[in-house]
Amino acid sequence: MKAIQVGLMGLGTVGGGVFEVLRRNQEEITRRAGRGIQLTMVSRRDVAKAQALVGEHATVVADAREIIANPAIDIVVELIGGTGIARELVLEAIAAGKHVVTANKALLAVHGTEIFAAARARGVMVAFEAAVAGGIPIIKALREGLTANRIEWVVGIINGTTNFILSEMRAKGLDFDVVLKEAQRLGYAEADPTFDIEGVDAAHKATIMSAIAFGVPVQFDKAYVEGITKLNAADIRYAEQLGYRIKLLGITKRRSGAVEGIELRVHPTLVPAKRLIANVEGAMNAVVVQGDAVGSTLYYGKGAGAEPTASSVIADLVDITRLHTADPDHRVPHLAFQPGALQDTRILSIDEVVTAFYLRLQVKDQAGVLARITAILAESDISIDALLQRESAEGEAQTDVIILTHDTVEGRMNKAIAQMQALPTVLAPIVRIRKEELS
Ligand code: NDP
Ligand code: HSE
């Protein structure tokens, strides 16, 4: 059978990986797909660089629209990134009847609803395994492998840059700014690392997983996003003394009971040090999925890099190659649930989220201070789980009090923090980090 024809838009880190892995493993991939997968056209604006990489193997063009206009191309792979030109090109490719593969989490988290609707109307597939956790096949697991389950929650370390920074902060006792500079010097963090360190990249990925886990539209604008820029080495140290590690987690949970909805949030989180996910170090990614039938499952691997990400892009190419002649109604739905069965379950605001907390209060070291603080928590119906006070040095008039609470509603905790903050014996802004037991 004639090989399926692929056009690649964007030949940078991931595009280069796709070209290389397709070339190297061509025979194995063909045996799996049932026919060849041939990269016949590539585009990047710097044509000379692209030409130097692909040589005679593919036609190089500067204008990606030439790929879309080529009737011989069956699948278009978008590896440009961002939500500007990438959105235009993906929608144009769909309109031209091409199947699309993309690694672009920002695009899908923000414009997924529009893109999936266009693809459905045109009867083409949009595949995006590489958009979440790079080389880990978490989309496949959520969408197909766990399809029997009512998913209860999904929690992941889904940004390698921030996990590298947090690992280094813990291992070397350094502050955020120092480690960020080191990460940039080593090439782990980009020159502009804003999306990574502010939690936006993780929130894009959590948004996509939330939609697939619970059968709701992608709604990045409703996600709560907090990065790691304000994290202090002291809190990592105190957390460790209490048996916890701090990780930037993407969390999405189904909530039922008095308040129904979906939690969708990214923030630094204390996790018990004994949990496997707490021991995921460096730039590695991991996702834990809790399903009612299967229980807890863990997926671990490289969340970025040329070949790990190419592994997922090519898996999508194989899927499309196998399925593109199938009746569109019989394909796996983009968001795991049939389009007509998506629900408009509310995404809860951060005030409604239920979680436990780590609090650090810098206080005057004098009689009655702790009693007043614990009284405020008791009056707020917030139960204390653990408490630690740093022994003050000789002659020191202040100290740190660390409190771990049991689960409570965030809005209630905000009010209690405001009351504690107003005490004249509380000397600095109270540090608050959310805590998840993941049991
Ligand atoms: P790069 O910046 O390395 O590559 C982007 C490529 O797009 C470059 O080759 C650039 O070349 C090309 N490009 C830019 N504008 C155009 C255009 N208008 N037409 C054609 N080509 C264009 O990005 P990555 O490979 O790192 O990332 C690609 C996508 O994969 C992004 O969505 C990213 O979020 C995602 N991703 C990346 C991972 C990684 O490890 N890097 C992991 C998981 C997902 P030129 O400037 O010459 O045009
Ligand atoms: N910037 C991302 C990370 C790349 O650090 O994980 C993969 O999406």
Side-chain angles (χ1 to χ4, degrees), residues 9-15 43-46 62 64 78-82 85 89 103-105 130 134 303-306 309:
M9 308 190 294
L11 193 68
T13 304
V14 182
S43 93
R44 69 174 284 181
R45 291 163 305 182
D46 189 332
E78 183 276 308
L79 295 173
I80 293 171
I85 184 72
L89 292 171
N104 192 336
K105 56 263 174 170
T309 313

Side-chain angles (χ1 to χ4, degrees), residues 82-92 104 107 111 114-115:
T83 53
I85 184 72
R87 173 180 160 274
E88 287 173 27
L89 292 171
V90 163
L91 288 171
E92 286 172 30
N104 192 336
L107 178 66
H111 297 293
E114 177 189 25
I115 288 168

